[in-house]
Amino acid sequence: MRKIVLLLAVLLVGAGTMMAQTDKEAEKAAKQAEKEAKKAEKAAKKAAEEAAEQALFEQAVRALDAKDFVVEADRIEFKRGNFVYVSSSTNFVVVKGDKASIQLSFNVPMPGPNGIGGITVDGTTSSIEKKTDKKGNITYEMNVQGVAVSARVTIRMAKGTNECSATVFPTFNSNRISFSGKLLPSSQSNVFKGRSI
């Protein structure tokens, strides 16, 4: 009888150990499956974001080709690297056909020449060049001539995004200004233009 009881005890302990190992393996497998599901979800989210960015890039390229676009700037950088964050609705470079407008406006209590705290200049575009490098990045250059402006404007946009910079190089001085923001078709832009000089 003792042998039977001892044999049953050994079997029960063995069964308990096997059940504990099975539970640990099931728990480990569940954690691994959860980890893989999160990884797949993250990859799907990244792919969706990249697809959306690529669609915005293609839309921006079409707007450049149509000469009907706006660079809405949320940051302005000056010659010596100083920069300021600004409102994208009042700081922009607009091109519609052969006409261009450049507006710089700061959130200051003084109205400025354009009536909204800055300056707005209009001109005519010429010597437009669009280049695409080996990586797919785009450089779009043009001259803008008007009553109060004579400048070379260079727009750079990296492949796969509509984020860009538009640098204005005045012809008669070296006070360049860079507008950093998004390039959009004119129809999707919400800019407010002040009074031109």
Side-chain angles (χ1 to χ4, degrees), residues 87-98:
S87 168
S88 61
S89 63
T90 56
N91 292 274
F92 54 83
V93 175
V94 174
V95 173
K96 282 194 173 207
D98 63 345

Side-chain angles (χ1 to χ4, degrees), residues 58-124:
E58 291 169 5
Q59 181 182 51
V61 170
R62 286 191 301 273
L64 284 171
D65 292 339
K67 297 180 189 173
D68 188 17
F69 63 88
V70 179
V71 175
E72 292 185 357
D74 52 17
R75 178 180 146 152
I76 303 289
E77 184 177 333
F78 301 98
K79 180 180 175 182
R80 298 202 186 341
N82 297 327
F83 65 89
V84 62
Y85 291 100
V86 293
S87 168
S88 61
S89 63
T90 56
N91 292 274
F92 54 83
V93 175
V94 174
V95 173
K96 282 194 173 207
D98 63 345
K99 301 293 182 193
S101 296
I102 302 168
Q103 180 170 288
L104 186 64
S105 178
F106 302 103
N107 296 331
V108 293
M110 297 168 42
N114 65 358
I116 56 173
I119 187 167
T120 305
V121 292
D122 292 332
T124 304

